[in-house]
Amino acid sequence: MIKEEKQVREVCDRFGLQGEYKCCEIINSGHINTTYQVTFIRDQQDKRYILQRVNTYVFENPVEVMDNIVAVTQYIRAKIKETQPTAKRNVLHYSQTNDGKFYTYMPDGSFWRCYRYIDDSVCYMQVDDLNVVEEAGKAFGEFQLYLADFPVANLNIVIPHFHNTVKRYSVFKEAVEKDAAGRAKEVENEIAGYLALEEIATQLYALQRRGELPLRVTHNDTKISNILFDCQSHKHLSVIDLDTVMPGLVANDFGDAIRIVASETEEDEKDLSKVGVNLEKYEAFTKGFVQTLKGRMTEKEKQTLALGAITMTVECGVRFLTDYLDGDKYFKVHYATQNLDRAKCHLKLANEMVGHFDEMQKIVNKYCD
Ligand code: GN1
Ligand code: MG
């Protein structure tokens, strides 16, 4: 029995989940929220739900997060139903509490939500099968396509300046100055490595500021583990983890996905000699993504995709290093130097991408025609 089970069961009651309670497991993959899978028995069948305790240090206004999620999932559901009889397995279905809300605050102040588990679905941390990688590209391309006409301005900005790399760098420099955890000396090389990438990693944001790139509805956390696939066919079903859906650039979503899907390693690989970009996987994802979305992208957007991969890799690495310097306050860590390992790995990966930049953009162009 997990120690939080009593509270989890109380949350289930608030959401009116029906049937006989069977079990609860914790799902440990996210860096931010705490996630549980709960099983009930109803009509002699297992009915599963995902319950999440939202991290309110990261999401200071979780009600606004839920407002975005509800708006976006309802919009996608309606879009899918234009061409399919049901959208049951293709978009998340959030539960409402007994008083009609999509969230509940528990007496200890914790904030919870609940959605139906999609049966016979699976998610992957890393994928080698290029067909599945291409499916991942289609999944995030389709997500943007569904939301192409959604009124971007209606979305709440749940984390301001999320992909503002200029701001990310200034917060990083402040963390170096402050050196709250007394770790700056030990990571001088990594600090210098990231400072050397500042110029390239802030170009995309500069284009955005000059109005050269349109703001779209973007997912903003496009790691492959945020896609559910059918466990038999391996076709994509639904995109999950919609917390950071906000206005953003196509290149943010493309780039953040590449950071994970086209990496040779996990994001905290210690053996840096293994870290690099896998161009076959890069191409497979690009094919799925670009072919799905090319009719909706401007020429300039297409020309910024490879830059997006570098930008998002650097940005994420800078965030890991900043958090390490701050004393690991933001990302969950499972051991003391995990944020530093993540930061080192991203630094190497970003530099590898810089070395392959022309090839990467050529691959984008190949699928744009
Ligand atoms: C966090 O939600 P999760 O754990 O998938 C983070 C992302 C980072 C990612 C790095 C709200 O994502 O921005 O890219 O870790 N989410 C937030 O793996 O900061
Ligand atoms: Mg997330």
Side-chain angles (χ1 to χ4, degrees), residues 13-160:
D13 286 344
R14 298 252 183 125
F15 283 102
L17 305 186
Q18 301 289 315
E20 184 192 335
Y21 174 86
K22 185 175 169 185
C23 58
C24 166
E25 326 169 10
I26 189 156
I27 298 176
N28 265 323
S29 55
H31 298 341
I32 308 288
N33 298 322
T34 310
T35 304
Y36 304 87
Q37 182 183 280
V38 190
T39 310
F40 281 77
I41 306 171
R42 207 158 63 232
D43 305 328
Q44 277 116 46
Q45 279 180 342
D46 282 0
K47 303 281 177 195
R48 297 194 178 89
Y49 296 87
I50 300 294
L51 257 58
Q52 288 186 302
R53 189 174 67 234
V54 176
N55 179 330
T56 49
Y57 174 79
V58 169
F59 297 105
E60 289 175 13
N61 193 337
V63 176
E64 289 194 352
V65 172
M66 287 315 294
D67 288 346
N68 280 357
I69 292 180
V70 170
V72 161
T73 51
Q74 285 177 350
Y75 191 90
I76 294 177
R77 187 170 298 109
K79 275 267 166 227
I80 295 175
K81 282 188 171 173
E82 286 173 8
T83 55
Q84 278 175 215
T86 167
K88 224 174 159 188
R89 300 183 77 218
N90 302 110
V91 64
L92 291 182
H93 185 100
Y94 282 83
S95 305
Q96 279 168 281
T97 56
N98 301 327
D99 55 356
K101 295 203 172 71
F102 287 92
Y103 58 86
T104 188
Y105 276 104
M106 294 305 281
D108 65 355
S110 57
F111 181 97
W112 294 75
R113 64 178 172 216
C114 170
Y115 63 85
R116 256 191 238 146
Y117 176 83
I118 296 180
D119 287 327
D120 303 318
S121 66
V122 60
C123 68
Y124 305 108
M125 300 308 284
Q126 280 281 327
V127 172
D128 288 324
D129 182 335
L130 295 181
N131 292 317
V132 181
V133 175
E134 188 181 331
E135 272 297 304
K138 286 185 193 165
F140 285 123
E142 215 170 69
F143 182 79
Q144 290 214 2
L145 207 56
Y146 284 140
L147 294 166
D149 297 319
F150 183 97
V152 184
N154 289 2
L155 289 172
N156 300 312
I157 308 296
V158 294
I159 303 183

Side-chain angles (χ1 to χ4, degrees), residues 339-366:
N339 267 326
L340 178 58
D341 288 342
R342 290 167 178 156
K344 286 181 178 174
C345 176
H346 278 61
L347 181 57
K348 170 84 189 298
L349 183 59
N351 280 312
E352 289 289 314
M353 286 182 183
V354 171
H356 290 289
F357 178 66
D358 291 340
E359 266 165 287
M360 284 165 63
Q361 189 54 43
K362 261 195 204 127
I363 293 171
V364 170
N365 296 345
K366 179 172 156 187

